[in-house]
Amino acid sequence: MKNQSWIVDRASTGTYDPRCFCLIEGPIPSAPDGKIVVQTLLMSLDPTNLNWLKLEPQLQAIPFGIGYPMIGVSIGVVIESRAPAHAVGDVVTGMWGWRRFDVVDPLLVHPAKPATEMSFEQQLAIFSHVGRAAAGGMTLIGEVKPTDAVLVSGAAGATGSLAAQIAKAQGCRVVGIAGGPDKCEFLLDELNSTVRSTTSKKTFARPSTGTSRAVSTCSSTMWVGKKSMPS
């Protein structure tokens, strides 16, 4: 089996361009002292990857440039270890390159749960950096209370959809912003919300005892705001 890597070929200057990457093949690497080799099982593709692809060091969690693989949060299994904290067969999650096999610094990973206990998809979504961002934004920073009205943009995205559900579970009035009617339909079906699409000037509603609604705009962002708003 060969290794496959998504290598950065050029910086992004705004809208994503597939030509920013090239797929290359090569040998499976060996682990140097103190490192492990991980076979990637799942990767999380996040909006922050587009920021990192600008190749501006102040925007990157781990600096990289042209000729290096893109970095992301992944889950994988250790196939070689020269680090005392990890053994062959361990399943780990953390930061490494977009590669089928990669040399990983043990300081950048931690043990993952077995798939029989929690699916890898759940571990890269609800119980990952995505879920922590949503929960932290709502509970630690926003400190939402049942009397609050909460605005969530990017409400159909990974973090936004969790943030909206957390706020709704706290009894808040939730307004969600999403980028198009399809995403509003997702909010309608999955979150039982009343949805207004400004692109089609059409309001979608279903009988509901909930207090959430979503507004579709031409673009969406990934921040969460909290402010008391009139009904």
Side-chain angles (χ1 to χ4, degrees):
M1 182 182 295
K2 292 184 178 180
N3 198 10
Q4 293 178 310
S5 307
W6 284 105
I7 301 299
V8 177
D9 196 45
R10 66 180 71 178
S12 169
T13 57
T15 302
Y16 167 71
D17 186 336
R19 292 174 295 178
C20 290
F21 293 106
C22 60
L23 180 64
I24 66 169
E25 290 189 346
I28 297 173
S30 298
D33 287 340
K35 299 295 194 298
I36 58 178
V37 174
V38 177
Q39 180 179 1
T40 302
L41 301 177
L42 280 179
M43 298 188 307
S44 180
L45 307 183
D46 302 304
T48 191
N49 289 125
L50 187 57
N51 269 339
W52 295 352
L53 194 54
K54 294 176 182 177
L55 304 186
E56 299 175 11
Q58 68 272 20
L59 298 178
Q60 296 177 322
I62 301 175
F64 63 90
I66 293 174
Y68 288 83
M70 171 57 85
I71 301 293
V73 178
S74 303
I75 285 182
V77 60
V78 177
I79 65 165
E80 183 186 359
S81 176
R82 299 188 68 182
H86 298 280
V88 172
D90 287 352
V91 179
V92 295
T93 181
M95 298 278 287
W96 60 81
W98 283 8
R99 285 177 160 163
R100 189 175 296 276
F101 301 90
D102 200 13
V103 175
V104 180
D105 187 334
L107 295 176
L108 299 179
V109 302
H110 61 272
K113 293 182 179 296
T116 53
E117 184 176 339
M118 180 185 297
S119 73
F120 294 149
E121 290 82 0
Q122 288 176 323
Q123 293 183 59
L124 276 187
I126 300 173
F127 300 101
S128 74
H129 59 296
V130 175
R132 289 194 295 271
M138 289 290 95
T139 62
L140 298 179
I141 298 174
E143 298 180 338
V144 296
K145 303 179 292 294
T147 55
D148 289 329
V150 178
L151 173 66
V152 181
S153 70
T159 302
S161 61
L162 293 176
Q165 292 177 78
I166 291 170
K168 187 174 180 180
Q170 294 296 316
C172 302
R173 177 189 174 210
V174 180
V175 177
I177 302 173
D182 290 343
K183 293 182 179 181
C184 285
E185 286 290 348
F186 164 75
L187 296 176
L188 180 70
D189 294 336
E190 299 296 330
L191 303 186
N192 197 24
S193 303
T194 299
V195 180
R196 179 172 176 80
S197 172
T198 58
T199 55
S200 63
K201 303 299 183 183
K202 182 178 180 181
T203 299
F204 306 89
R206 290 179 183 168
S208 172
T209 57
T211 59
S212 300
R213 65 187 177 90
V215 180
S216 172
T217 62
C218 294
S219 62
S220 59
T221 55
M222 293 301 292
W223 55 265
V224 176
K226 179 177 77 72
K227 182 179 180 181
S228 295
M229 294 179 287
S231 301

